[in-house]
Amino acid sequence: ANQFNELVVTQDILTYLITADEYVKADDMADHLYLSKSTLTKGLNQIRQILGAYSLKLVVRPHYGFKIVGQEFDIRRFLTSNYVRKTTIFQKDESVMKDIRVILDEVIENLHYHMPDYLREALVYHIHISLVRITKGKLI
């Protein structure tokens, strides 16, 4: 149960940080997520390891707080990773995903192309993340 709680805390912190556009102060994050300072510190240490696998860094600036930084390509790679897809870090808009599926199915059919369902779903997810990031002004 303890490992499960640590995973949930790590996911909550990651969600908070990856969706923030600016630096986030530790006190604000702890208050928002109802975490103690020690629990927050443990979670941040785990996050550093997770992000490192995607060439992303957790930057700390005194008086500003924490922020995930890296190339937009790497951020999207992280957002499309199996780690994120198995969590609630990235909130999917199912109606948009449905629209993407319809358009993609039409294109695949018109081109007489065959794609396994799991690859089609992965492509839908990638397109969705790209749309969300682009509308936030985050370009590659």
Side-chain angles (χ1 to χ4, degrees):
N2 194 28
Q3 282 183 325
F4 177 75
N5 289 339
E6 288 178 15
L7 178 64
V8 170
V9 166
T10 301
Q11 290 173 359
D12 289 346
I13 296 169
L14 258 173
T15 301
Y16 195 78
L17 288 169
I18 202 76
T19 57
D21 292 324
E22 300 297 326
Y23 283 87
V24 177
K25 292 186 178 182
D27 289 340
D28 294 341
M29 198 171 359
D31 290 346
H32 183 79
L33 299 173
Y34 304 104
L35 300 174
S36 68
K37 294 277 186 162
S38 64
T39 302
L40 180 63
T41 300
K42 282 183 195 176
L44 290 171
N45 288 334
Q46 290 176 335
I47 288 168
R48 282 184 178 92
Q49 292 177 335
I50 294 166
L51 294 174
Y54 298 91
S55 302
L56 299 173
K57 291 184 179 161
L58 182 63
V59 173
V60 183
R61 284 186 62 197
H63 309 293
Y64 286 89
F66 297 89
K67 185 175 183 179
I68 295 174
V69 296
Q71 298 292 319
E72 178 63 19
F73 178 82
D74 294 324
I75 292 171
R76 291 187 194 185
R77 192 167 56 95
F78 171 69
L79 289 171
T80 59
S81 70
N82 283 331
Y83 178 82
V84 172
R85 291 174 75 178
K86 291 177 184 174
T87 68
T88 59
I89 290 173
F90 186 79
Q91 298 298 318
K92 298 178 285 280
D93 181 336
E94 289 302 327
S95 67
V96 172
M97 301 262 303
K98 181 181 176 191
D99 291 343
I100 294 169
R101 276 186 205 95
V102 168
I103 294 167
L104 186 60
D105 286 346
E106 187 178 309
V107 169
I108 289 170
E109 185 177 319
N110 287 342
L111 294 174
H112 306 288
Y113 188 77
H114 301 284
M115 180 181 282
D117 288 344
Y118 76 95
L119 286 178
R120 183 179 65 98
E121 278 306 303
L123 185 55
V124 168
Y125 194 76
H126 279 272
I127 292 169
H128 181 344
I129 287 174
S130 294
L131 290 171
V132 169
R133 299 293 293 173
I134 289 167
T135 58
K136 286 184 157 189
K138 309 290 185 178
L139 306 176
I140 294 180

